[in-house]
Amino acid sequence: MTIQADKVRPLSASAASAACRTALASGLLRYAPHVQLDKNGYTLEIEENLISGVRPVDFVSDLMQGDGNELGGKFRAAHSSSALAVNTFAPFKADPSALRLPSGDRFMHLSFERKCPHGLRGRRSPNLDLVAEHPGGVVAVESKCLEPLSAHKPEFAPAYFREITDSRRETAWFAEMTRLTLIPSPYRWLDAAQLIKHALGISYTFPDRPTTLLYLFWEPLNPHAHSVFEEHRQEIRQFANAVNGNGGPVFAALSYPELWASWEDAGLTDGLQRHLDGLRSRYAVSILGD
């Protein structure tokens, strides 16, 4: 699906976001022509935003326990990052061992919108889109769709510096948090503050297990169409260099198309191949850009 864009001036990030939003809505309608979308690209029911084989029983109770009120409306958006995560991972709920992720396999348990308390009094616990537990540790997933097309400014409450006095204070994650409060942030499209807070929660929740924070992000089929996608990737690389190597969760990042391709490279059963085909049919869209 190709979306027409201004052929003279580069797309602004907001225009790129609007084009991606339109493309994802078109992808949903192409995948499920019977679905009706409102003017904002939302389905009438959550079930209409699911690909074939994804069952509400595999995720609804998990999402109801989260703090984001995802089922209250956001999940119904064609561009929902929560729905993207559910559509990608829900079929593995019945057989977690079939899932493959960086830094983990032979998974035993999956949960959506998992709260990972950070131990700070009076502050809401981080909610991870997916937490996957395996014999060797934990992989926690933060899912993004169009969020990186909006600018972010890192902010941290004083409680993070006052109340975190354990070993987390010696990690590169804590050092990066400190740096971002003292100098202008080098991150615009990457929500570095959210990732740091997630890492601090993961470390507190799973203090004795190796952990990975996996950042999964959506891109169109042609991310070169606009510079913001490469700028986002550059910030991911910079962030990984800053936070990895001195305790705390390992930070890894992958686009959803890259994750899906890794599954195919590893070999799929017929059922998982149909699932992968559905994901690509639903989310593999292009835009025109610069």
Side-chain angles (χ1 to χ4, degrees), residues 106-141:
R106 296 181 292 125
F107 290 99
M108 304 173 295
H109 183 260
L110 307 179
S111 54
F112 293 102
E113 284 295 307
R114 170 75 177 268
K115 292 182 180 180
C116 291
H118 42 36
L120 276 65
R121 296 185 297 272
R123 303 203 66 83
R124 193 173 71 176
S125 299
N127 286 237
L128 277 299
D129 288 292
L130 179 79
V131 170
E133 301 180 54
H134 62 95
V138 176
V139 179
V141 173

Side-chain angles (χ1 to χ4, degrees), residues 51-67:
I51 66 170
S52 177
V54 175
R55 307 175 305 168
V57 67
D58 288 327
F59 68 89
V60 166
S61 61
D62 285 359
L63 264 61
M64 290 179 66
Q65 296 177 34
D67 293 323

Side-chain angles (χ1 to χ4, degrees), residues 10 49 51 113 194 240 265 274 284:
N49 205 17
I51 66 170
E113 284 295 307
Q194 182 192 53
D265 291 342
R274 287 193 296 272

Side-chain angles (χ1 to χ4, degrees), residues 30 59 123 173 223 225 243 249 277:
R30 180 186 60 208
F59 68 89
R123 303 203 66 83
W173 291 94
V243 300
D277 292 342

Side-chain angles (χ1 to χ4, degrees), residues 35 71 114 125 128-129 144 163 174 176 186-187 202 235 266 273:
V35 169
L71 296 177
R114 170 75 177 268
S125 299
L128 277 299
D129 288 292
K144 297 298 183 188
E163 298 183 28
F174 195 94
E176 184 68 353
Y187 310 112
I202 295 165
E235 291 182 6
Q273 183 63 60

Side-chain angles (χ1 to χ4, degrees), residues 1-3 16-43 48-49 76-80 145-146 218 220 281-287:
M1 180 65 63
T2 299
I3 304 300
S17 179
C20 290
R21 187 181 295 232
T22 300
L24 286 166
S26 298
L28 173 55
L29 294 176
R30 180 186 60 208
Y31 178 77
H34 64 282
V35 169
Q36 293 184 340
L37 297 177
D38 67 16
K39 63 180 181 180
N40 296 315
Y42 285 65
T43 62
E48 296 175 321
N49 205 17
R76 293 185 290 105
H79 52 274
S80 165
C145 191
L146 301 190
W218 177 87
S281 178
R282 167 70 177 82
Y283 290 105
V285 296
S286 300
I287 63 171

